[in-house]
């Protein structure tokens, strides 16, 4: 991940976009989504414009409507696209075989790197809470479900406690989101992402108490 | 907390408000902040209006300017007021003497109840990311610093591991924020807040692994 190009790399399979059938069409769609990331990230949803997106993408204004019906539609598609990118970043960081705890560490590490390279993701996802609440909720419910799947797999393997629930998955997701906000987006202060993922790992591995209480 | 009245109960000491000197003035300021909570919570910052706030507060429009210079000013004051309310809710839930782990559990429990009764808090704090980024950041940095203080106190007492860092504090805060979003704001599905705080407590007490790894 770390040294890759700075555009979001997931394949666009976003809802609300009219799926292109040609390779050229897919490239144009990708350009529009990448340009929308910058336009929405810099200006916010309300100030952002379709012409701003097409100008940044180097695409004719009319072509926009080949792919999306409206500014709302490309915003929704972008949230789904970012969800997919986050998933992919976490997956890319996991190389089997790995213990269940190491998978969590690497998934966080992958996310932290992704967020460091795509700082606009927080602004866009967070703005979805206002612009498109259903997308916002789906984004987090989908991630939590994925984390819960990993927890249940770990529990079945005997690596994780058998009593882990959906609440634990939301707790882990919240940890990861706020560590990203603090260390990938706001200020690293020379703190390394390894320090951050090690801190989270130690919390998951043994809690914060000196002895099991 | 649970059965108290439904207005935010912290004493207004918000910046950006012109501090009232009389009891009557303090009551009017409190009415304005409570009305602003509803107005911003229902309409969002951009659609909200000063006249909407004064109408809800039952206060003359001109009186607003005795306390605030602008819609921005009361929004900023409201974020600070909500920060104080969150702090107070967590504090009220902590009754000494209590183990360091129980303090964390109770602080979360108090926050979850507070958020259940003041569902508008997420929308308002989250909108601050766009309307007033400095307030948004201060809100979370202040809470994280408070959690870190508790972690360091627990470590000095020998109850918490000696190697806990600011990253652990941000991890705990993120846990709490997302558990609140899921279980206090969105959907409890019959899940009790005790189940939620027990899940977080078990994570902090012993991690998620079957044995220390």
């Amino acid at each position: 991940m770390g040294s890759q190009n700075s555009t979001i790399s997931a394949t666009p399979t976003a809802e609300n976009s009219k799926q292109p059938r040609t390779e050229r069409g897919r490239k144009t769609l990708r350009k529009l989504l990448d340009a929308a990331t910058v336009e929405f990230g810099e200006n916010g949803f309300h100030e952002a414009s379709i012409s701003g997106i097409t100008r940044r993408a180097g695409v004719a204004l009319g072509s926009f409507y080949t792919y999306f019906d409206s500014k709302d539609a490309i915003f929704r598609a972008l949230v789904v696209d970012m969800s997919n990118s986050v998933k992919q970043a976490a997956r890319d960081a996991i190389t089997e075989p790995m213990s269940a705890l190491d998978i969590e560490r690497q998934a966080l590490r992958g996310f932290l790197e992704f967020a460091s390279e795509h700082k606009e993701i927080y602004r866009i996802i967070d703005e979805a809470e206002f612009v498109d609440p259903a997308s916002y909720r789906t984004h987090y419910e989908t991630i939590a479900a994925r984390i819960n799947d990993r927890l249940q797999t770990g529990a079945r393997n005997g690596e994780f406690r058998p009593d882990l629930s959906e609440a634990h998955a939301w707790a882990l997701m919240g940890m990861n989101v706020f560590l990203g906000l603090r260390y990938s987006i706001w200020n690293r202060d020379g703190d390394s992402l390894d320090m951050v993922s090690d801190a989270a790992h130690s919390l998951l591995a043994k809690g914060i108490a000196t002895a099991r209480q």
Side-chain angles (χ1 to χ4, degrees), chain A residues 16-19 28-29 32 49-54 59-74:
Chain A
N16 304 305
S17 66
K18 303 162 191 168
Q19 288 304 313
T28 304
L29 175 57
L32 286 169
S49 67
I50 291 175
S51 61
I53 293 169
T54 53
V59 165
L61 183 60
S63 301
F64 178 89
Y65 296 96
T66 308
Y67 301 95
F68 301 101
D69 288 330
S70 63
K71 186 167 82 165
D72 290 65
I74 194 170

Side-chain angles (χ1 to χ4, degrees), chain A residues 6-8 33-34 36-42 78 82 114-127 184-185:
Chain A
S6 66
T7 56
I8 294 177
L33 287 168
D34 288 342
T37 304
V38 181
E39 175 76 4
F40 288 125
E42 283 186 9
L78 186 58
M82 288 195 151
F114 178 80
S116 296
E117 290 160 25
H118 304 282
K119 291 182 194 292
E120 63 288 339
I121 187 171
Y122 276 75
R123 181 164 183 172
I124 292 169
I125 298 294
D126 292 349
E127 195 164 19
S184 294
I185 309 296

Side-chain angles (χ1 to χ4, degrees), chain A residues 140-150 166 169-170 173:
Chain A
Y140 284 122
E141 288 178 342
T142 305
I143 295 176
R146 203 156 59 229
I147 294 175
N148 197 28
D149 283 348
R150 295 200 304 256
E166 193 200 1
W170 282 78
M173 177 167 66

